[in-house]
C-alpha cells in the first residue's frame, strides 16, 4: 500500500502517520519524490486501514498495490478449481449447459421441463422456487412447495437441480433438496447469505450483482470460500449500463478477466443479459468463445404462459438448436460438449 | 398497457393474443395504425403479464401506461406522510439531521459520539452494529453487543438511535433496541428483509441501491408499505456511475422526483455519496435546496481512528459548522431547523 | 406515436392538442382508457414533435411506436449492404481483419507494420495520422505528413489503409490518401463531420461513442447515409460503464442487435475495449461468435516503444497466433477467413 | 509516477525498464516491497509514457501520482479566474443567470425572448444558431442566418448573447457575432474545435460531455487554455447513467469538485439535466447551494411551439419565479444576485 501525502504535509505529520502505521504492526517506509512524499506500507495491509489514513487532512491518496482477495486468487492458488456436481465437472475441459424455466410453477410444468432437458442429454435443470421480484404484486414463487417439487423431479427423472436461495433461514432446507444453490444478482452483497451458503456442503453458483465490479464480485466469492465452502461457480449475467435496448449488457470482458484472476469456474447466463430470446444465441456463442466454462439458460415448455421471464425463455426446439451451435463453437476453442 | 405488434402479425395471432388477455380478466382493444397494430389492455394490468406477452414472436413491444406503484404514489395517496420518531417529524416543514459514526466501535466511542450530538441539539444518532463490508477480512461490526450499547446510549443520554439491519433474523431484536431501522443500499432488493421490516412497528429508513432506478426504489418501499409498515423514509445516497473521482454520484434529481412522485419523506446521505469529508458540505446544502426533508451524516469523534468510513466522517467541529450552514439554507427554502 | 395525457386533462386541452397535431399534417385519434386518455398520432411523426407535445402541462408522456431510423433499417432495406474496399468485402460471408498500429509514427515504423501485416495475408492496415488525445501534452499525430506516409505505404506494399479523420477540413485530403476513413468514438456525434464524410466517395468506419446508445449509433450512421455515402461500416469498441478493470466494456449484445436492426456491416475493435493485450484474444473470438463481420485490431512492431496505446497493441507474433484462432472460430459459425 | 512490477520480474527486466525511463530523461528509483518491486519515476512524467511501460509483460500496473492538468489546476494557479463579459463577472461573488431559448427560430421569436429576459434584469441570453441533433431529420438550426439575428438582438436590445459552435470553420464568424461561444457536451472531446476556440479572443462556456469524467473535463479545458484563451467557464449539465426517469443525472458532486480542483468559474445547466421543466427549480437551487457560479437555463416565449427542447424550457412567468428563488438561495450562501 502506498500513501501519497499532500505537498504541504509537515515532518511532524509524517512522523505521526508513521506511528499510526506501526501501531497496526506494519512497516512504514517514506520516499521523497520531487513534489510529494510517498509512504510505502509493508506487511499484511488491509483495505480498511486505507480509509482511516485517507481520513487525515494531509493525505492526498492511498493506493493499494496488492489485490484484496486471496482465497479466490490464482496468485495464491495456482491450480484451477473443478466443482463436481454428480458426474458433471465445472471448470474442466468439458463445457456444461444448465437449462430450465425461470420459476417452478407447477408439478406438471416442472416435470415437462425436466423431461425435455433430459431428452436433450443435459444433466442439470435450473428452476427457482423463491423469486426475487421487483414488485410485491408479482408472483413470488412457490417457496418450500417448489423445493419439494424439485426434489421430486430429481427422484423421478434423475435430472439434478439448481435453484435460487434468497433468505438465510431457507439455506439448510434448500441445500437438502437441490444439487446446486444459486445466489442471485440482487443478493451478491447480502453478506449474511454469503456466510450461510459458505457453511453448507453444497456447490454454489454466485451471480454477479448488476452493478458489481469484478473486484467486488471476487470479494463476494471470497466470503463463501472464507466460510468454508470451496465449491463456488461464478456467473456473469450482464451489468446495468446506460443502454436500454436490452435488459443488461453482457460483460464478456469480465468472463475473460475472471478466468485470468481466479481459479474458479465461470459460467454465463445469456438469458438475463439478453432479456429477449433472439439474443440468447449470439451471446451464448460469444460466451464460449471468450472462455466460459458453461451456460445457465432459460427454457420454458411454453414461454408465452410463463409466470416470469417468458420473453427471454427459449422454446424447447430453440434450445435443441442452441445446443448444436454450442457443440460447434466448443470444438473451435478446444472444449468438449455433449 | 399497450402491446405493439410486429408488421407481419396475422389476424389469427391478434385473436389469439386477445384471448390470452381476456383469460387474465382484462379487456383488449385493438387499434390499427398505419404501420402497426396496437392493442390497448384495459383493467388492472401488472408488469408480470408484459413479459409473457412480450414472449410472443409477433409482439414487438409492451409499453406500460400506468405507474407500477400504488401505496407509495402521490396519485393514489395525496396527503404527505409524516413519520414521527419521538417528537421528531420527518416529512413536515422541519428539517431533520441525523448524525453519528459509521459503526458502533466501543462503549466509550459511542457515548462520546452521542454526547457530542446531544450538545449540538440533535436528537437522533446513526451508528451501525451490523456492517455490510465488501471484504470478509474487514471489521464486521459488534453485532448484538452493538445493539445493546445503542440501547444503553438511549437510556443514558436520551438520544434516539438509528441502525442498519442486514439479516432477517435480527429484525425483532433490533426493532426492540433502536428507534429507527435502516435498510442499506446493498439490501434494497433483499425482498425477504423488506417483508420483515414491513411487519414490525418501527420506522424504516430505506436507502436507494447503488444502481437502483427511482422506479425500483419506490417499488422497494412499496414492499414495506404492502406488508403493513407505513413509516418509511426514503434515503438517496448516491448512485454508481462511470465517475471515480468521488465514491458515488449524488442523484439530486432523484430527491426532487421522489418528492413529486411519492408522499413519503426523503432524506439524503451526503457522506456515502462524497466519500470524503470536504464534499459533505456542498452536497448537504444542495440536498436541502433540492427539497430533501433531512440528512443522514457521518460524524466520528476521531475520524482517523474510525474502524470504517473515517475519510468521509466529519470531525465534531465540522458538524457544528455544517449545522450553521444547514440553518441558513433551510431558511431560504422555507424549512425550519434547530 | 402515442401521447399519454394526465388524468386531469380537460376536453378543451384535448381539442387544443388535436389542433396542434393536425397543424403538422398528422392525424390524431384519441383513445379513452380507464384512467388515462391516450392520443394516437398517425402519419410521418418525427421525434422533434415529441418534445413540443411533452412540453404541455397536461401531457404525461409521449411514446414513439416506430423506429426513428429509416435508411439504416432492415425494415426499410431488407438486403444486406456489402461494402467493397478493393477486393475485400465487408458484410458478406468472408470475415475481415484490419490490423495495425494505433498511430503513424515514422516512415520506418509504418513500413515495418505494413510488411508484417502483408506477410500474414491481411490486406488492410489501420494507422492514425490524426490522434484525438485526452491531453494537449500528448503526441497529437503526424497530421498531413502521416497521410502522405500512408499513401506511400499503399504504393510500395499494395496494402490498403484505414485512418481516423477528426477535422472537417481534412476530409477531402484524407479521402484522397487512404482507402477507408474512420470516424472515432469521440466524434460519433460530431454531426458536421458526419455530414462531410457523407459527401465523399470513400468507405467509412463509424465507431460507437463510448456512451452512445445503439439507437443513437444507428442515427449517426443515418446522417452519413442521408448525405449520400452508402458505404458505412459500424464498429463496436466498448462502452463506458462503472467497471474500471478494463478500459471499456465490450458490448457484445450491441453487435448482435446491430446485425438484427440494420443492413450494415458490423465490426469490432477488441483493443480499445480491452485496454490490455491479453484480453484481445477472448474478445476477438467472442466478437466472431456473436456475428461480427470483422475486427479492427491494434498491432505494433514494438509495443513498448509505441507513441500511443502500447499496452493494448499486440506483438507481431501474437497477431499471427490470433489469426489462427480467428480462422477456427470463423469455421464454427460458417464464416470464411484467410 | 509509480510502476508496479509483477512478482516474477527479473533483475534484467528491471534494468531494461530503468534504461527506458532514463531515455525519456526521467529518473527511475526502484523500491523493493515484500511481494512486489515498485519503481518511482521522478521528473516531468506524462500520461502517454504510462501506456508504453504498461505494455511490458513484466509490468503489473502504472499509477500516476500527480494530476495530469496544470493550467487549469488550483495547485499551479491559486488565484481564481474571473471571466468578464461586458460588465458581468463569472467566478466572482456575484451569481450569473443566462437564460433563453434552445434555438434561434425566427427574428420575432428571438426578439421576444430577448425582451423578456431584459425585462427581468438579466444581461445574457442563450440561443443556438447551430444545433447538434441526434436525427438528420430534425431541425438543424438557422446557421449563419441565426448568428446574424443574434447580432441584431445585441444591437437592438443591448442584451449580450451566447451560442453554440460546432464546426471549426464557423469559429471566426461566430466569435465576431456573439459575446460567448459554447462548446456543447457532444463536442467536449472534439479536440480540433477546442484548439480553434483556444485561439480566439472570446469567452468560452465548455460543457461537460455526457460521459466525461471530471478529469477528462478539466483536460478539455486545458486544451483551450493551452492554446491561449484564458476565459473558460466550465458547465456541468448532467451525465448519462442507468437512470431513465430524467434526461441526465445532474452531477452536483462535480460542481463542488471542480471548484476545489480548478480556478475556473463553474456554472450549471439544469434544463438539460432535468429534461422537464418541473425539475429545473430544485436543480437550480441545488446548484447554487453546492457552490456554482451561475446557471444556463432554457426559457422560451411559447415552449409548446419550440422547435427543440420545448419540454424542458421554462415559461416566461416560471423564469421570473425561478429568479426569486435564486435570489433567496444566493443570500444563504453569500452570493449576490440581481
Amino acid at each position: 500500500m502506498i500513501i501519497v501525502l499532500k505537498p504541504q504535509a509537515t515532518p511532524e505529520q509524517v512522523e505521526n502517520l508513521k506511528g499510526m502505521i506501526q501501531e497496526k504492526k506494519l512497516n512504514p517506509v517514506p520516499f521523497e519524490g520531487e513534489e510529494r512524499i510517498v509512504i510505502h506500507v509493508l506487511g499484511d495491509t488491509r483495505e480498511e486501514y486505507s480509509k482511516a489514513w485517507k481520513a487525515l487532512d494531509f493525505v492526498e491518496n492511498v493506493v493499494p498495490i496488492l489485490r484484496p482477495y486471496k482465497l479466490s486468487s490464482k496468485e495464491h492458488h495456482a491450480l484451477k478449481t473443478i466443482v463436481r456436481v454428480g458426474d458433471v465437472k465445472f471448470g474442466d475441459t468439458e463445457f456444461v449447459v444448465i437449462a430450465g424455466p425461470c420459476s417452478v410453477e407447477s408439478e406438471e410444468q416442472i416435470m415437462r421441463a425436466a423431461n425435455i432437458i433430459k431428452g436433450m442429454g443435459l444433466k442439470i435443470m435450473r428452476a427457482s422456487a423463491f423469486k426475487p421480484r421487483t414488485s410485491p404484486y408479482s408472483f413470488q414463487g412457490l417457496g418450500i412447495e417448489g423445493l419439494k417439487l424439485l426434489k421430486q423431479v430429481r427422484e423421478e427423472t434423475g435430472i439434478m437441480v439448481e435453484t435460487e436461495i434468497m433468505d438465510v433461514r431457507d439455506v439448510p432446507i434448500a441445500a437438502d433438496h437441490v444439487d446446486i444453490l444459486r445466489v442471485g444478482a440482487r443478493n451478491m452483497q447480502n453478506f449474511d447469505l454469503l456466510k450461510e451458503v459458505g457453511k453448507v456442503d453444497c456447490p454454489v453458483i454466485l451471480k454477479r450483482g448488476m452493478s458489481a465490479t469484478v473486484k467486488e464480485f471476487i470479494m463476494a466469492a471470497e466470503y463463501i470460500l472464507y466460510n468454508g465452502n470451496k465449491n463456488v461457480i461464478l456467473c456473469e449475467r450482464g451489468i446495468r449500463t446506460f443502454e436500454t435496448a436490452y435488459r443488461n449488457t453482457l460483460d464478456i470482458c469480465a468472463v475473460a478477466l475472471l478466468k485470468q484472476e481466479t481459479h474458479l469456474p465461470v459460467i454465463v447466463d445469456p438469458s438475463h443479459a439478453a432479456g429477449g430470446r433472439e439474443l440468447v444465441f449470439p451471446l451464448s456463442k460469444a460466451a464460449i468463445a471468450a472462455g466460459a466454462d458453461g451456460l445457465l439458460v432459460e427454457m420454458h415448455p411454453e414461454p408465452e404462459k410463463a409466470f416470469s421471464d417468458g420473453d427471454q425463455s427459449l422454446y424447447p426446439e430453440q434450445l435443441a438448436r442452441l445446443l448444436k451451435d454450442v457443440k460447434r463453437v466448443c470444438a473451435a476453442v478446444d472444449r468438449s460438449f455433449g
Side-chain angles (χ1 to χ4, degrees), chain A:
Chain A
M1 192 169 278
I2 288 173
I3 305 176
V4 182
L5 304 188
K6 288 189 179 161
Q8 61 271 24
T10 65
E12 290 70 34
Q13 287 172 327
V14 174
E15 281 312 302
N16 190 359
L17 176 55
K18 283 171 66 179
M20 290 171 68
I21 294 167
Q22 285 159 341
E23 257 177 48
K24 304 283 186 193
K25 306 209 190 309
L26 298 166
N27 182 17
V29 185
F31 180 91
E32 288 201 30
E34 293 185 357
E35 303 193 38
R36 296 280 190 287
I37 293 174
V38 156
I39 298 182
H40 288 260
V41 184
L42 305 184
D44 183 21
T45 57
R46 293 187 185 175
E47 215 159 337
E48 61 190 298
Y49 302 152
S50 74
K51 292 220 172 163
W53 296 332
K54 223 175 146 184
L56 296 161
D57 279 339
F58 57 94
V59 168
E60 185 164 299
N61 206 0
V62 180
V63 183
I65 295 295
L66 301 178
R67 290 170 178 79
Y69 37 87
K70 293 185 180 132
L71 302 174
S72 325
S73 170
K74 231 181 207 168
E75 202 174 306
H76 290 78
H77 183 328
L79 284 183
K80 66 184 179 182
T81 289
I82 293 172
V83 176
R84 286 163 206 271
V85 184
D87 60 342
V88 174
K89 287 184 278 183
F90 288 86
D92 204 354
T93 55
E94 77 187 69
F95 188 84
V96 184
V97 176
I98 303 173
C102 179
S103 316
V104 184
E105 298 171 6
S106 69
E107 182 181 339
E108 195 236 328
Q109 172 251 17
I110 202 67
M111 286 300 298
R112 249 179 97 185
N115 282 312
I116 289 167
I117 283 162
K118 191 178 181 181
M120 293 182 191
L122 300 180
K123 294 177 174 172
I124 311 176
M125 179 173 70
R126 61 151 287 146
S128 299
F130 305 101
K131 292 295 310 164
R133 303 305 299 273
T134 303
S135 166
Y137 309 115
S138 295
F139 173 63
Q140 306 275 317
L142 297 183
I144 303 293
E145 197 50 46
L147 288 182
K148 290 182 185 160
L149 289 175
L150 289 176
K151 195 166 192 173
Q152 185 184 333
V153 164
R154 289 160 85 185
E155 288 163 0
E156 296 188 13
T157 66
I159 283 289
M160 294 185 283
V161 293
E162 184 258 20
T163 205
E164 176 160 358
I165 183 75
M166 294 166 58
D167 187 323
V168 285
R169 296 168 296 197
D170 297 325
V171 172
I173 186 172
D176 183 57
H177 280 65
V178 304
D179 301 282
I180 308 181
L181 296 176
R182 186 193 331 134
V183 174
R186 288 174 184 77
N187 282 310
M188 193 204 84
Q189 291 195 320
N190 179 338
F191 300 111
D192 293 294
L193 184 60
L194 298 178
K195 288 172 186 172
E196 290 298 327
V197 300
K199 291 173 194 159
V200 295
D201 181 29
C202 182
V204 177
I205 289 179
L206 175 66
K207 295 185 92 171
R208 182 182 183 188
M210 69 182 83
S211 69
T213 62
V214 167
K215 197 179 100 177
E216 289 168 343
F217 188 19
I218 299 177
M219 290 308 283
E222 191 90 0
Y223 261 95
I224 304 175
L225 298 172
Y226 181 74
N227 279 278
N229 189 339
K230 304 298 178 205
N231 291 306
V232 177
I233 299 163
L234 302 172
C235 180
E236 160 63 29
R237 44 77 75 201
I239 56 172
R240 180 161 276 184
T241 68
F242 61 83
E243 181 62 69
T244 57
Y246 13 86
R247 187 168 177 182
N248 293 286
T249 302
L250 185 68
D251 185 358
I252 213 77
C253 290
V255 174
L257 188 64
L258 289 165
K259 293 298 294 179
Q260 275 178 23
E261 283 290 308
T262 82
H263 50 85
L264 301 170
V266 179
I267 66 172
V268 166
D269 172 351
S271 307
H272 280 82
R277 75 177 74 84
E278 284 94 355
L279 288 175
V280 170
F281 290 82
L283 297 187
S284 296
K285 289 186 275 186
I288 304 165
D293 297 304
L295 293 176
L296 183 65
V297 185
E298 288 188 335
M299 182 281 302
H300 192 284
E302 292 179 277
E304 68 278 8
K305 295 191 179 160
F307 290 6
S308 51
D309 282 354
D311 53 341
Q312 68 197 29
S313 297
L314 297 182
Y315 284 91
E317 59 272 24
Q318 287 180 310
L319 178 59
R321 184 150 54 85
L322 177 65
L323 297 180
K324 284 188 193 160
D325 287 354
V326 165
K327 198 176 169 77
R328 291 184 69 193
V329 182
C330 277
V333 291
D334 298 319
R335 308 291 298 230
S336 63
F337 177 72

